Amino acid sequence: MSQSLIRAIASRKNQLGFGFFSRFSNSRHFHSQWPITAPKCSTPSSLGSSRRFSGNLIPELNHTCLVRQTNGFCSVSLSEVSDSNLVSEGETIDIEDVGPLDKKKPMVVYKKPIDFTKIEAKLLPTVMIIGRPNVGKSALYNRLIRRREALVYNTPDDHVTRDIREGIAKLGDLRFNVLDSAGIETEVSSGTILGRTTSMTANVLARTQFAVLIIDVRAGLHPLDLEVGKWLRKHAPQIKPIVVMNKSESIGESLAEVASEALALGFGEPTAISAETGLGMTALYEVLHPLLEDYMVQTLNDRCSQDDVTSEENLSEEDESKLPLQLAIVGRPNVGKSTLLNALLEEERVLVGPEAGLTRDAVRVQFEFQGRTVYMVDTAGWLERTERDKGPASLSIMQSRKSLMRAHIVALVLDAEEIIKSQRSMTHSEVVIARRAVEEGRGLVVIVNKMDCLRGKQNSEMYKKIKEAVPIEVQTVIPQITGIPVVFISALEGRGRLQVMNEVIGTYKRWCSRLSTGRLNRWLIKVMSRHSWKDFASQPKIKFFTQVKARPPTFVAFLTGKTQLLESDIRFLTKSLKDDFDLGGTPIRIIQRSVLRTSPSGKSSGGTANRTGGPARQRTTSDKRTVSV
């Protein structure tokens, strides 16, 4: 039977697409390679590593071939389909394991509709909001991200937004990266603040895919809007922006007039919205959805390959296994906070300059450092709030305080020049920042910036004195925590960048550290023995010591008896914990709880059995409930 089958296959060798080989050199089976093609083949997925070819493979026999992989070879099982008199049981012939047939993986092809909620943030399209000043860009940004993060204030003669803010927009089931930009004015000099913000907007716009051009419907089509349109064609010719008419909640018949005027921009039909009230968000969704969906289909299909297909489950597990770090850069105005952020990112991300109070918004930036996700926030200069501080200045102070409370690690930036002039390391406002960070339970890192100003032989002695005196003074002013890391850098030159991040990561690890109860109690025995107690009778009896939470490390001391730990005892335990377990730069909290002693009869000696002073009741137990007698 086998030899007849081989002769039949050899006669039709031009119709089959894989080769047959002999497994044994002296076998009676065929030993040459014949090309074979199956005209009607189906490979059901339920077979796993096997392949079933059904159809008119050999017209004389009308069999079904089942190809299985076996130790570098393939076995073909022939089973009868229509003629039961020919073969009662399947016969197996060894053939060559064909690489492309078994190793080829199915290619994933993305089609519409796309679920934007299941896509990674780094793959989402980017939409930038642009326009002339005071048209409602920040208000639309807050509406899209569903939070009030960007400062919004009615200042026709001034610019509130100066930096590029980034967030994840949530418009229905759409998800995309949205950027809030400063107002564009094309006729300003390059050295001014507006000139620098416009050039920074142009640099970021070159890396975006879509843009939303906002005009004020109340003012109609302003000449500056036409200038912005020309500027956009010059700096981003690949982007066709979506024209949006903002502040249209109270406009009636004149809306059609403004819409016809907006056609002069040459970007198509405008969409009427109101960022303040949410009017027109459905119309904006209908305009954005097909554009973003087409972009995502093309991006995902270009990124997807046969050998590199990652599942969403693995991505979510990796994201949950390592929590990102929240870092807030705080300090007084004009100490180099924004310059430090640009140095850490190694790019011009935020606006910098010699002007004090240049930063207004708390800019949040995400980047990767040594495989860890870090969210870094550049805050405005910290000032004490007064009655005269109104408008954007007052809002900036409030936003800086909120950023400090949300952070895990606080980087307090000091100015080396101010230290030399004032002959002290920290001013009153900087001490307030540090103490508030400690009270909120945040890790603290002190950074002394502008050390490049102390170069030269005449400043060498001053340089040494600052490096020796600042850590001591910082520890004296902030006695709540010990071992605060102090880093001396020059953000303008980029020196000390890695040292800053290493100290931040080290402080974060100590801030998240956990100690086992057994290790703590063994440590407690040694510590209590070396502490000098005034009176042995007044020494508190700590039954056991345990850590109940991290971030920051919090411990509970269970005491027996009525004696409580004094403030000096708590400071001694805190200092010992930081010295013995390397917990410097992180606040440590110790809570004490009393454990009542139990008498041999099972009653607690510290409790009161009869609070009302009446006759005591005896309780007898039954099978179902307790009965009072």
Side-chain angles (χ1 to χ4, degrees):
M1 175 60 196
S2 299
Q3 295 180 358
S4 61
L5 175 62
I6 294 169
R7 287 194 296 270
I9 293 176
S11 63
R12 299 179 61 86
K13 61 181 180 180
N14 294 326
Q15 296 184 6
L16 299 176
F18 48 89
F20 285 79
F21 286 90
S22 175
R23 197 166 178 179
F24 306 99
S25 58
N26 299 326
S27 174
R28 296 178 301 168
H29 300 289
F30 52 87
H31 57 274
S32 60
Q33 181 180 5
W34 301 303
I36 307 172
T37 58
K40 299 178 183 178
C41 299
S42 61
T43 59
S45 58
S46 60
L47 295 177
S49 60
S50 62
R51 298 287 190 273
R52 181 179 295 274
F53 301 97
S54 60
N56 192 12
L57 183 65
I58 301 175
E60 292 80 6
L61 298 179
N62 195 14
H63 285 285
T64 299
C65 298
L66 182 63
V67 182
R68 297 186 181 89
Q69 182 177 353
T70 56
N71 297 330
F73 292 90
C74 282
S75 62
V76 180
S77 297
L78 301 178
S79 59
E80 180 182 1
V81 176
S82 60
D83 192 356
S84 60
N85 295 326
L86 293 175
V87 181
S88 58
E89 296 180 358
E91 296 183 1
T92 302
I93 301 177
D94 297 327
I95 64 173
E96 180 191 11
D97 184 10
V98 183
L101 185 65
D102 289 328
K103 296 181 181 179
K104 186 176 181 180
K105 296 182 180 179
M107 182 177 179
V108 179
V109 179
Y110 290 89
K111 297 181 180 180
K112 298 180 182 179
I114 297 294
D115 189 359
F116 285 83
T117 60
K118 296 182 179 180
I119 299 176
E120 297 178 70
K122 61 183 180 180
L123 297 179
L124 292 173
T126 303
V127 180
M128 192 171 190
I129 305 174
I130 59 176
R132 63 181 179 88
N134 201 29
V135 292
K137 299 182 295 297
S138 297
L140 179 59
Y141 174 84
N142 290 340
R143 173 67 60 179
L144 291 175
I145 66 172
R146 302 182 184 180
R147 290 190 307 274
R148 292 186 178 181
E149 285 192 358
L151 297 182
V152 178
Y153 199 80
N154 188 12
T155 54
D157 300 330
D158 193 9
H159 296 254
V160 178
T161 303
R162 292 175 176 173
D163 294 302
I164 304 295
R165 294 184 62 93
E166 183 177 359
I168 302 296
K170 300 177 181 179
L171 185 60
D173 58 351
L174 282 181
R175 300 292 184 271
F176 54 91
N177 295 311
V178 60
L179 302 179
D180 180 25
S181 63
I184 298 175
E185 289 192 9
T186 57
E187 297 181 356
V188 293
S189 60
S190 58
T192 60
I193 295 177
L194 296 180
R196 283 179 281 168
T197 57
T198 302
S199 62
M200 186 171 60
T201 303
N203 294 333
V204 178
L205 184 63
R207 302 192 296 267
T208 60
Q209 293 83 35
F210 303 94
V212 174
L213 176 59
I214 298 184
I215 63 174
D216 190 350
V217 72
R218 296 175 184 175
L221 186 64
H222 198 274
L224 283 178
D225 295 328
L226 297 174
E227 294 294 330
V228 171
K230 294 179 182 178
W231 179 89
L232 188 59
R233 287 190 182 92
K234 177 181 179 181
H235 292 85
Q238 76 282 0
I239 298 178
K240 183 180 180 181
I242 301 168
V243 182
V244 168
M245 299 183 298
N246 194 21
K247 306 178 184 180
S248 60
E249 65 273 8
S250 59
I251 303 299
E253 299 177 356
S254 59
L255 186 62
E257 250 179 70
V258 179
S260 61
E261 292 178 1
L263 294 176
L265 293 170
F267 298 127
E269 290 285 341
T271 304
I273 67 166
S274 174
E276 185 176 355
T277 63
L279 179 68
M281 290 296 109
T282 304
L284 183 61
Y285 170 85
E286 293 175 355
V287 175
L288 283 173
H289 187 269
L291 299 176
L292 301 183
E293 194 171 41
D294 292 341
Y295 171 81
M296 284 308 307
V297 169
Q298 182 180 358
T299 302
L300 293 175
N301 286 331
D302 292 342
R303 181 176 179 269
C304 182
S305 60
Q306 296 181 4
D307 298 328
D308 185 15
V309 179
T310 58
S311 64
E312 297 172 359
E313 298 179 358
N314 295 335
L315 293 176
S316 62
E317 289 178 0
E318 290 179 2
D319 294 339
E320 293 176 359
S321 63
K322 184 178 289 186
L323 296 177
L325 187 155
Q326 305 279 350
L327 173 63
I329 303 175
V330 298
R332 292 186 300 105
N334 205 24
V335 295
K337 300 182 296 296
S338 299
T339 309
L340 175 60
L341 184 137
N342 288 339
L344 294 176
L345 295 177
E346 296 182 321
E347 64 172 322
E348 295 295 327
R349 181 63 178 79
V350 292
L351 188 65
V352 295
E355 301 87 356
L358 193 60
T359 303
R360 287 180 174 173
D361 282 287
V363 182
R364 188 168 183 259
V365 181
Q366 176 185 356
F367 75 106
E368 299 287 332
F369 180 78
Q370 296 180 354
R372 184 187 297 272
T373 302
V374 179
Y375 290 101
M376 189 162 46
V377 181
D378 177 26
T379 62
W382 190 286
L383 292 173
E384 291 297 328
R385 219 176 148 192
T386 61
E387 295 181 358
R388 293 178 296 176
D389 292 332
K390 295 181 180 179
S394 177
L395 297 176
S396 298
I397 296 172
M398 295 174 59
Q399 202 173 57
S400 298
R401 294 179 180 179
K402 290 181 181 179
S403 300
L404 185 143
M405 297 176 64
R406 294 174 182 172
H408 298 155
I409 306 298
V410 175
L412 176 59
V413 183
L414 307 180
D415 190 349
E417 289 183 329
E418 292 295 329
I419 293 175
I420 296 173
K421 292 178 182 179
S422 60
Q423 296 296 318
R424 58 178 180 176
S425 299
M426 300 177 69
T427 61
H428 174 70
S429 59
E430 292 166 343
V431 174
V432 170
I433 297 172
R435 290 182 177 176
R436 181 163 295 185
V438 173
E439 290 173 0
E440 294 293 335
R442 309 301 179 225
L444 182 63
V445 177
V446 177
I447 300 172
V448 182
N449 192 21
K450 302 183 182 179
M451 293 298 292
D452 54 306
C453 300
L454 301 179
R455 283 183 177 176
K457 296 181 179 179
Q458 46 185 328
N459 295 326
S460 59
E461 294 184 2
M462 187 63 67
Y463 185 88
K464 293 180 181 179
K465 288 181 180 179
I466 287 181
K467 295 197 72 173
E468 293 175 359
V470 170
I472 299 174
E473 291 186 16
V474 167
Q475 192 60 63
T476 304
V477 174
I478 313 171
Q480 292 89 343
I481 56 177
T482 59
I484 301 173
V486 181
V487 187
F488 300 88
I489 67 166
S490 173
L492 186 62
E493 298 178 351
R495 292 192 293 113
R497 184 182 72 91
L498 293 178
Q499 188 179 359
V500 169
M501 289 308 302
N502 290 332
E503 292 292 346
V504 168
I505 296 296
T507 305
Y508 180 72
K509 290 180 179 179
R510 293 191 293 268
W511 189 66
C512 299
S513 61
R514 282 187 175 272
L515 303 173
S516 63
T517 303
R519 185 181 179 187
L520 284 172
N521 285 283
R522 289 191 296 269
W523 163 84
L524 182 64
I525 295 173
K526 298 179 182 178
V527 167
M528 297 296 285
S529 62
R530 68 173 183 243
H531 185 47
S532 58
W533 303 96
K534 294 182 179 179
D535 186 8
F536 183 78
S538 63
Q539 177 182 351
K541 306 297 189 297
I542 302 179
K543 190 173 183 180
F544 65 96
F545 198 76
T546 185
Q547 182 178 1
V548 293
K549 69 180 289 292
R551 302 161 65 98
T554 305
F555 303 89
V556 176
F558 291 89
L559 307 175
T560 56
K562 297 181 180 180
T563 306
Q564 298 291 321
L565 291 173
L566 302 177
E567 289 295 329
S568 59
D569 302 334
I570 294 178
R571 286 196 300 268
F572 168 74
L573 291 175
T574 302
K575 185 177 183 303
S576 301
L577 279 170
K578 291 177 179 177
D579 294 341
D580 297 341
F581 296 107
D582 190 19
L583 298 178
T586 61
I588 293 178
R589 297 171 178 174
I590 297 178
I591 305 171
Q592 45 184 330
R593 293 179 183 175
S594 299
V595 180
L596 298 179
R597 295 179 179 177
T598 57
S599 62
S601 60
K603 296 181 180 180
S604 60
S605 60
T608 57
N610 187 9
R611 294 184 179 179
T612 60
R617 289 186 176 183
Q618 295 180 357
R619 291 183 176 270
T620 60
T621 58
S622 65
D623 294 337
K624 295 184 178 179
R625 62 183 181 274
T626 302
V627 181
S628 299
V629 180

